[in-house]
Amino acid sequence: MKLIFERSVPGRSTAYLPEAPRTDLGFPLREKPPRLPELSESQVDRHYTELAKETRGVNGGFYPLGSCTMKYNPAVLETAANQPGFTDVHPLQPDESVQGCLEVMQLAERYLCEITGMDAMTLQPAAGAHGEFTGLLLIKAWHRSRGDLARTKVIVPDSAHGTNPASAAMAGFEVVNIPSDSHGYVDLEALRAAVGPDTAGLMLTNPNTVGLFDPNIAEITKIVHEAGGLNYYDGANLNAIMGIVRPGDMGFDVVHINLHKTFATPHGGGGPGSGPSGCKDFLKEFLPGIRVSEKDGMLCGTAAEKRIGDVRSFGGNFLVIVKALAYLMFIGREGVAETASNAVLNANYMMNCLKDLYPMAYDATCMHEFVITLEQMKHDTGVSALDMAKALLDYGMHPPTMYFPLIVHEALMVEPTETESRETLDEAVEVFRRIMDEAKADPEHMHERPRTTRVRRPDEVKAARKPVVRYDFDA
Ligand SMILES: *Cc1c(COP(=O)(O)O)cnc(C)c1O
């Protein structure tokens, strides 16, 4: 496929408006026009349509990318977020002129607090990892406010998402890794040995990154509290438990949630993300941004006195909040629990349809996702998790997450989500079973998959280390 610059023809354009007269605006204008490709509107349209056809999204097919909760994002949410009352406002408008927007923020905070068992929440963070960073700053501010400067360490289990140690390090903490036991749960003895007067807190996700609910969760959070630390809940896996159990009731003090996972707003390419950070009452004075409250019958935004500062401008990615709130209002209280139950049901259904052929990393009922390990197969036949993932592309399926979590070797992590039908799950099972047959019949051929995509096996190391993201005009 040609790049858009390669299609450019000097002088070609679709200009509907006459050129603007050059008036003196009081600042210098650029001397030369920017070096943009010159094309007609239909060429531009076709270029992007062609690109879109080359992408795999939730709208195009099954997308079981574990840990990412690639559920379908209902189109009606876009309509909700496209109301002029939400799109045509300025963040510096006086409160009385944006009462509706403030109500959205207040309601979203209230519902999300109710679901997580928190008392207050900031809507500012723009992603999950950003929410983690914010939450850790709250923990830091609290220890400081008590004059406890010795608490410099954050404990992170080895099954954690990579963002957890990264956020802890960014927030200025030292990361202490603790191992998981053979069931994939936190090793209680290792945790007891790790906590002490230097413990600022623990970061944990439950269900964890191998898709299991830790049965010792209350004991875990108690151990950390008794040592004087706080418990941070990585809420990226909330889709498995929302409406059923709450992190706040499991002993967590701070939580972030990924609206772009659990609450049906698009990930990455579909728009910005949002990772609100919630906390218990004793931490709310440190929350960044504004929180909405009612004064004399009017809603107004106020910033907390001891706030850690802003982590993003104004109300965060406000339109994402609108979409998440609309989603919650559509599914309602019962729908929240039903969503979680169906996510868990779908994952267990698929796992049980596959476990005679695919070895599971843990022999247990899973939550919203399950992890396959192809370590033995790699050893016996040379066919790796990567080979199998690439083969799925030949059947039009987005591969599951590979090589994560790190504690499982040759891992494939499958998260179907609740928005897939029984028929789609059956088709996916069929494809998984078929590629296993293919791998057994002809292991060598698996290294050449995929066969049907335009780009087959890019050099991933080179793509990460030496990415080419600019067009070289002189080449
Ligand atoms: C996705 C994810 C994150 C990070 O969220 P982003 O929005 O991608 O920054 C953190 N923890 C877990 C377990 C996740 O799955």
Side-chain angles (χ1 to χ4, degrees), residues 67 127-129 132 161 163-164 205 209 234 236-237 256 258 260-261:
S67 207
E132 290 171 27
H161 194 262
T163 50
N164 289 188
T205 183
T209 54
D234 174 338
N237 292 340
H256 89 262
N258 300 56
H260 46 287
K261 290 180 182 171

Side-chain angles (χ1 to χ4, degrees), residues 172-366:
F173 291 110
E174 199 181 313
V175 178
V176 180
N177 241 291
I178 53 163
S180 306
D181 66 15
S182 60
H183 306 288
Y185 304 136
V186 169
D187 184 327
L188 290 179
E189 284 321 305
L191 177 62
R192 282 198 187 97
V195 295
D198 56 359
T199 302
L202 166 80
M203 286 185 95
L204 198 73
T205 183
N206 185 41
N208 60 17
T209 54
V210 296
L212 302 179
F213 191 97
D214 202 311
N216 305 316
I217 194 65
E219 182 65 20
I220 292 167
T221 54
K222 191 166 152 232
I223 292 172
V224 175
H225 276 158
E226 282 176 359
L230 298 183
N231 290 298
Y232 182 94
Y233 181 89
D234 174 338
N237 292 340
L238 196 71
N239 208 45
I241 58 157
M242 62 172 175
I244 295 168
V245 285
R246 311 192 304 170
D249 301 334
M250 297 177 206
F252 288 93
D253 307 291
V254 190
V255 168
H256 89 262
I257 45 190
N258 300 56
L259 299 187
H260 46 287
K261 290 180 182 171
T262 319
F263 297 102
T265 70
H267 289 58
S274 178
S277 235
C279 63
K280 287 286 175 76
D281 216 38
F282 69 98
L283 291 168
K284 74 173 185 221
E285 58 185 344
F286 304 111
L287 281 173
I290 55 151
R291 291 189 49 238
V292 179
S293 56
E294 202 180 313
K295 215 173 18 194
D296 306 328
M298 207 179 71
L299 296 175
C300 53
T302 357
E305 211 167 297
K306 293 195 192 158
R307 69 184 188 278
I308 56 168
D310 281 325
V311 296
R312 208 187 172 284
S313 49
F314 306 109
N317 286 329
F318 175 69
L319 294 176
V320 183
I321 317 273
V322 175
K323 288 183 218 181
L325 178 64
Y327 173 71
L328 274 173
M329 295 177 102
F330 277 119
I331 64 174
R333 181 180 276 270
E334 293 74 27
V336 171
E338 200 182 329
T339 295
S341 305
N342 286 338
V344 171
L345 179 64
N346 277 0
N348 277 285
Y349 176 73
M350 249 190 107
M351 180 175 79
N352 278 284
C353 292
L354 290 174
K355 71 178 182 193
D356 60 322
L357 268 191
Y358 284 83
M360 297 298 155
Y362 300 96
D363 181 22
T365 301
C366 68

Side-chain angles (χ1 to χ4, degrees), residues 78-90 93 101 318-319 322:
E78 300 295 330
T79 315
N82 269 323
Q83 302 302 310
F86 296 137
T87 56
D88 298 350
V89 290
H90 191 279
Q93 265 177 247
C101 295
F318 175 69
L319 294 176
V322 175

